[in-house]
Amino acid sequence: MGKKRVVVGFADSRNLARAVAKRSRSEYTEAELKDFPDKESYLRYKTDLKGKRVYILRSLNDPNRKIVELLLAAYTAKELGAKKVILIAPYLCYMRQDKRFKPGEAISSKIIARLFNACFDELITVDPHLHRYKSLNDIFIIKSKKLTAVQPIADFIKKNIKTPFILGPDMESYQWARKVASSLKCGVDVLKKHRYGSETVRIKIKEGLDLKDKGVVIVDDVISTGHTVMEVVKDVKALGAKKIYCVCTHGVFAEDSLRKIRRLGASVYSTNTIENAVSEIDVTEMITKEIK
Ligand code: R5P
């Protein structure tokens, strides 16, 4: 008898999707994608989806094209008779514009959520950027599950970093920084950040923070342009930290930021919600647990 669950991967989510399929004993299939000459997207399934729970797994960094492809994937799965169509977006896009900061701006998080509400039955994601929203339920009407990479991150630090001291670069990072530190039973502090634009942030480090001989680990949900963590790295260096690490759930690393952060002397690690050169922290197990 054929399997009742199918995990759908894409070329850019193949490794994680395959690993999740294998561990959850689900069928794995890869959606075939092509561009028409005019750059419109083409998608085809090469397996039977009728009556199955279909888990479409793809992280939504670099999201615009992927969103269109996901719409094709979700609606086609339904038309082909899938029992349920579930989006696993380990990195969920468009979560940071959660407010009209200037008159006339699109609140993109709500608009993208509306699209996903219309074509998926459920959503599973990891450490979504919830700032002004209290929960995913504020914008998603479909069943949604928020996982967190706190434990895999804490386990990684325990195994690889001596005498850690955890720093959260801003109040939003408190939720991760505090939990990671409490799991490691080590010191933690959370700094104050002012963002003046996507390129400019200022962070105030507390006077008297004793970081001498500590392995300072800056923990955040996302590293995108890297400006947030780079500001902290510069301050922390000045306070005499022995080694500096930047660890995040989602390594977006826009604008060559991985190289820029490393050039400042910090080591960088992320989970594999987005696969990159430093995605050493594995989230396969926690995602697999959600596949029933
Ligand atoms: C913002 O509040 C987030 O938690 C991250 O600190 C932020 O998104 C990182 O962005 P960037 O790397 O562009 O400074």
Side-chain angles (χ1 to χ4, degrees), residues 7-23 28-30 57-59 90 272-276 279 282-285 287-288:
V7 175
V8 178
F10 295 80
D12 49 76
S13 64
R14 184 179 293 145
N15 290 341
L16 186 56
R18 262 201 188 135
V20 167
K22 191 170 174 206
R23 239 182 258 188
Y28 174 74
T29 191
E30 200 157 303
L57 191 154
R58 196 175 205 190
S59 261
N272 58 346
T273 57
I274 298 171
E275 209 173 305
N276 57 59
S279 51
D282 190 14
V283 294
T284 305
E285 188 57 40
I287 292 178
T288 303

Side-chain angles (χ1 to χ4, degrees), residues 96 129 169-170 172-173 176 193 195 198 201 220-229:
R96 284 183 290 175
H129 189 82
D170 52 28
E172 292 132 56
S173 67
W176 299 285
K193 171 168 95 177
R195 188 179 272 285
S198 57
V201 294
D220 210 348
D221 57 340
V222 190
I223 299 180
S224 181
T225 65
H227 287 290
T228 299
V229 292

